[in-house]
Amino acid sequence: MLSPVMWNAGRVRILDQTRLPAAEVWLELEQVDALDEAIRALRVRGAPAIGVAAALGCALAAHRFAGDDAERLRAAVARAADQLAATRPTAVNLFWALERMRRRLASLVGQPAGAIRQALLAEAESIRQEDLAACQAIGAHGAALLPQDATVLTHCNAGALATAGHGTALGVIRSAVAAGKRVRVFADETRPLLQGARLTAWELMRDGLEVTLICDNMAGALLGRGGVSACVVGADRIARNGDAANKIGTYGLAVLARRHAVPFYVAAPFTTVDLSVADGAGIPIEERAPEEVTCPQGVPFAPAGVRVWNPAFDVTPAELITALVTERGVIHGPDLAAGLRRLARPGDRGFE
Ligand code: MRU
């Protein structure tokens, strides 16, 4: 199974997603600064994978700390957590994972340095394993929503590459195929960084799944032609009322899906749910460098100096979401808020 981020002999090993599909390059990160750069540059990306990477980053900080002074080691880990929290603002899995690592750290006061190192690594590894299990459960719940012969349109990459493995939106597709369904996938290329073209197409083809690539502006024509059974996407943060932030372009796709009466499913683990945020207006949206728009893959496309707006995410209002597919079950609309309340548990972000 493809897993893009893991612990490997005292280092954080990631598949450099900026190099895909041209080259499969694995990086062995030995310093928190290198992991910080890798998250910012989207070498490791996708909400759950960012959370796992940050948790492993805390373990890395503990591992790299030289000496036996447990108090100073705890301070070094806390600094690393603060540093990693500043890498990307939208995917709440990052903050959820760091909070869990901070709580574990706080529970280790009085423990010797070696025990702290071990406990933090075990906690990060649990987060990784739990994400994998969540993706598999999301896959099973979501697969049941697809017809025996399905055509699915997806946006960005919510696949194995974006998680500890299996994927959320692509996990639904993988599980449906494993259950004997036929699924044809259409993948939006996902401008500006082309996660759909570079990553979704790559990982589905790698698994021998049926995928057809389209430019983002072809989605309306595809839905208008008929024959798409469902849109399935991931999420970076789901607010208490069910509004969901995901890769820029998701909102437009949801509007098109509603126009054509195609179900619009958001597949995400509860680590992506932020009950402390009332609705989408409270979700911070990352804005990235203009060059990502003007100079894709290093090729200049636009006049030098043109003004650019480059939000990395948008918010799909709950009313456009047919259902949220979580590891705890499917939450059907229209009252996503009630479903989130029903399935929420202690440990979820913002749970009261
Ligand atoms: O900027 P990215 O590539 O990290 O954005 C990723 C997405 O928007 C994904 O759809 C989302 O994180 C869900 S991944 C299971």
Side-chain angles (χ1 to χ4, degrees), residues 42 45-48 50 88 91 155-159 162-163 168-169 195 234-236 246-247 267 286 312-313:
L42 274 58
R45 50 145 298 282
I50 295 170
R88 297 194 72 190
H155 188 72
C156 192
N157 173 266
T163 61
T168 56
Q195 286 93 332
D236 286 83
N246 190 48
K247 179 54 55 194
E286 176 180 12
F313 303 96

